[in-house]
């Protein structure tokens, strides 16, 4: 077979979840590994020399000491916020009103939406991210723009139309009915098409009336294969506002639950200030939470409790939350997750961080049988990490105690210069 390709290097292998079992039992690095690719999929993973012998006609790329990893999966982003990333000085509600909503309004121009969607995916690919789960804006065209940009690049993607029918400016509001109708048409167009998946997307309770939440709950019941993504308990002021808006609700989660917006395919972003009841319900239903560490520090939201929530077997993804987050890089995001763990007294191991940025995020999006792991049959989305990408990292790496010590230095100090190559569905990008 002439279309076979063999990547040689150090390979990252997962056999379980390092947040629910000891990391040593579930994650390993093969210092002389190989990944055989054909037809956009991984055919085999194993010892590089043996794969080379067994497949003599495969085209070989030898990455030496670089780390061959699954492509990063960013489980919660707002691609329309690309151009306002790193905007100064506001907390959530003011940040939305001052920076976010005006920029999202600009994407009403289809040409601008197309420009930003392509710009965003090119930036994230350059940072080693091969799949994102993104909010669009309220316009269907902004949803088409990101799906079309991903299809052009051969990328797996999840996205949805952001629905808002209150507490948003003129020009950035839909209604319960149009949110339902537009989302339904977009599901029919994109769900399961190529590598695309649709997420029904009420932005959050403050910007959706109960009528809109109910309409989207009904839509999700019609299309249960879709994901449903929204925000939950990000900031204390936001939670107080939700309490004022829906005084009859038991808690923030209840404002979704009463409209059917809870279930195994729900993906809640942030989820920092949860009550015991909310944690119980999330755990019982199998819903996923997404940790957005650079955003949670940048907007001043709080410290996600990774270790306790993982102990409840809640699927947890990792995300940049562009543009509330301050970086497009999942390396920087892993560093921030580590720092938040330190502030909580629970530092995460490099193996756990890598798992969160790949297989963990894939699991939170119900894509764990397609991406996020280097295994036979999986889609060949692969990122190659240079473990000595800058003089500062190289000098630390040369003093490393072992391979994990070396990987950790790149997770803490690395950026897009550490991304040696990115493969999407078996094709080398860039
Ligand atoms: N809550 C509602 N909308 C948003 C958003 O765009 N970013 C963040 N970080 N939180 C939100
Ligand atoms: Zn968000």
């Amino acid at each position: 077979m002439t279309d076979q390709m063999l990547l040689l290097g150090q390979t990252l292998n997962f056999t379980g979840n390092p947040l629910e079992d000891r990391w040593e039992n579930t994650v390993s690095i093969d210092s002389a590994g190989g990944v055989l690719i054909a037809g956009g999929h991984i055919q085999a993973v194993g010892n590089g020399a043996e794969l080379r012998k067994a497949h003599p006609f495969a085209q070989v790329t030898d990455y030496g000491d670089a780390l061959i990893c699954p492509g990063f999966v960013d489980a919660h982003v707002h691609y329309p916020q690309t151009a306002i990333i790193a905007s100064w000085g506001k907390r959530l509600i003011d940040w939305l009103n001052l920076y976010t909503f005006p920029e999202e309004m600009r994407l009403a121009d289809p040409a601008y939406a197309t420009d930003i969607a392509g710009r965003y995916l090119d930036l994230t690919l350059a940072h080693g991210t091969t799949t994102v789960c993104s909010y669009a804006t309220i316009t269907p065209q902004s949803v088409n723009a990101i799906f079309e940009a991903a299809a052009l690049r051969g990328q797996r993607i999840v996205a949805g139309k952001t629905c808002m029918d209150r507490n948003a400016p003129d020009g950035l509001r839909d209604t319960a009915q149009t949110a339902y109708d537009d989302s339904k048409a977009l599901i029919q167009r994109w769900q399961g098409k190529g590598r695309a998946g649709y997420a029904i997307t009420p932005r959050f309770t403050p910007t959706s009336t109960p009528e809109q939440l109910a309409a989207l709950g009904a839509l999700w019941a019609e299309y249960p294969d879709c994901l449903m993504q929204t925000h939950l308990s990000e900031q204390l002021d936001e939670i107080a506002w939700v309490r004022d808006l829906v005084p009859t609700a038991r808690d923030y989660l209840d404002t979704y639950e009463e409209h059917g917006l809870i279930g195994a395919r729900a993906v809640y972003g942030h989820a920092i200030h949860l009550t015991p009841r909310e944690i119980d319900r999330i755990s019982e239903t199998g819903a996923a939470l997404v940790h957005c560490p650079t955003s949670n520090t940048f907007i001043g939201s709080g410290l996600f409790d990774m270790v306790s929530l993982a102990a409840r077997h809640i699927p947890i993804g990792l995300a940049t939350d562009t543009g509330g987050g301050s970086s497009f890089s999942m390396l920087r995001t892993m560093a921030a997750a580590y720092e938040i763990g330190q502030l909580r007294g629970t530092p995460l191991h490099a193996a756990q961080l890598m798992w969160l940025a790949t297989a963990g995020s894939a699991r939170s999006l119900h894509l764990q049988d397609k991406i996020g792991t280097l295994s036979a049959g999986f889609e060949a989305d692969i990122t190659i990490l240079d473990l000595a990408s800058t003089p500062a990292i190289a000098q630390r790496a040369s003093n490393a105690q072992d391979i994990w010590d070396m990987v950790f230095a790149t997770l803490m100090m690395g950026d897009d210069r550490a991304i040696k190559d990115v493969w999407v569905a078996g094709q080398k990008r860039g």
Side-chain angles (χ1 to χ4, degrees):
M1 278 177 71
T2 49
D3 80 327
Q4 274 186 332
M5 271 159 313
L6 178 59
L7 313 188
L8 300 177
Q10 308 204 67
T11 48
L12 178 67
N13 305 299
F14 301 130
T15 52
N17 176 346
L19 290 174
E20 295 181 6
D21 192 353
R22 288 172 62 84
W23 72 262
E24 297 93 330
N25 296 344
T26 53
V27 189
S28 62
I29 292 177
D30 182 345
S31 60
V35 180
L36 187 73
I37 301 173
H41 285 73
I42 295 173
Q43 278 204 325
V45 179
N47 176 272
E50 284 170 18
L51 285 170
R52 196 171 193 163
K53 207 164 151 197
H55 303 278
F57 300 110
Q59 193 184 319
V60 175
T61 306
D62 190 345
Y63 286 113
D65 289 340
L67 187 66
I68 304 177
C69 325
F72 297 139
V73 180
D74 191 340
H76 178 125
V77 311
H78 300 255
Y79 94 81
Q81 298 169 15
T82 297
I84 54 117
I85 191 168
S87 292
W88 186 83
K90 296 294 170 200
R91 293 171 76 98
L92 179 59
I93 305 305
D94 292 338
W95 175 84
L96 283 171
N97 286 317
L98 186 67
Y99 299 121
T100 307
F101 290 160
E103 178 64 14
E104 291 192 9
M105 216 132 35
R106 292 179 69 198
L107 276 84
D109 172 0
Y112 188 63
T114 299
D115 174 23
I116 292 291
R119 185 192 306 181
Y120 172 75
L121 289 181
D122 288 342
L123 279 166
T124 49
L125 277 170
H127 286 82
T129 299
T130 47
T131 288
V132 301
C133 179
S134 186
Y135 291 59
T137 75
I138 69 154
T139 69
Q141 179 47 39
S142 73
V143 183
N144 293 333
I146 191 73
F147 279 126
E148 282 162 3
L152 257 179
R153 291 161 180 78
Q155 287 181 256
R156 180 162 285 288
I157 183 146
V158 182
K161 172 190 133 66
T162 298
C163 301
M164 298 199 278
D165 67 343
R166 65 173 168 183
N167 295 316
D170 285 348
L172 212 57
R173 284 195 310 275
D174 49 17
T175 67
Q177 190 64 46
T178 61
Y180 174 93
D181 292 342
D182 289 348
S183 301
K184 185 170 186 161
L186 288 161
I187 290 169
Q188 289 168 348
R189 175 157 181 196
W190 292 111
Q191 167 70 3
K193 180 168 178 201
R195 302 188 77 196
Y198 195 87
I200 294 167
T201 307
R203 182 175 214 122
F204 67 158
T205 294
T207 52
S208 286
T209 60
E211 292 70 32
Q212 180 167 86
L213 294 175
L216 295 175
L219 182 64
W220 195 22
E222 285 176 58
Y223 295 94
D225 290 347
C226 291
L227 297 183
M228 189 290 299
Q229 62 176 349
T230 189
H231 296 86
L232 178 67
S233 293
E234 180 176 358
Q235 275 199 1
L236 296 177
D237 288 357
E238 170 209 13
I239 297 167
W241 191 16
V242 169
R243 204 176 296 125
D244 285 348
L245 287 168
V246 196
T248 52
R250 288 171 288 184
D251 45 44
Y252 196 156
L253 183 66
D254 201 27
T255 65
Y256 297 129
E257 193 172 348
E258 68 175 313
H259 300 297
L261 296 170
I262 192 168
R265 297 180 90 83
V267 185
Y268 301 109
H270 302 278
I272 298 168
H273 309 283
L274 299 176
T275 64
R277 190 203 82 88
E278 289 175 309
I279 296 170
D280 287 347
R281 283 301 287 145
I282 290 163
S283 173
E284 280 160 25
T285 54
L289 302 180
V290 182
H291 181 26
C292 306
T294 69
S295 171
N296 296 345
T297 51
F298 185 77
I299 312 187
S301 302
L303 307 179
F304 183 80
D305 192 359
M306 173 73 70
V307 168
S308 305
L309 294 165
R312 300 293 304 272
H313 305 289
I314 294 170
I316 297 173
L318 187 67
T320 59
D321 188 30
T322 297
S326 52
S327 174
F328 296 105
S329 168
M330 289 299 280
L331 294 174
R332 176 74 200 101
T333 303
M334 286 184 258
Y338 176 78
E339 289 158 0
I340 287 178
Q342 281 287 54
L343 288 169
R344 295 202 72 108
T346 51
L348 295 168
H349 190 269
Q352 295 173 314
L353 294 166
M354 284 298 281
W355 186 85
L356 279 166
T358 56
S361 279
R363 174 175 173 238
S364 75
L365 303 177
H366 292 259
L367 296 172
Q368 69 274 17
D369 56 347
K370 295 185 169 62
I371 56 170
T373 304
L374 301 179
S375 283
F378 277 57
E379 296 167 359
D381 291 350
I382 297 170
T383 288
I384 316 295
L385 282 185
D386 177 353
L387 299 178
S389 59
T390 67
I393 298 173
Q395 64 83 33
R396 175 64 181 84
S398 70
N399 190 40
Q401 305 298 307
D402 57 29
I403 182 63
W404 284 111
D405 197 24
M406 193 184 260
V407 170
F408 186 65
T410 283
L411 301 192
M412 293 306 107
M413 299 170 74
D415 54 28
D416 51 337
R417 289 169 290 181
I419 310 302
K420 210 175 171 77
D421 267 334
V422 177
W423 294 76
V424 174
Q427 302 288 322
K428 195 162 86 160
R429 302 292 316 179

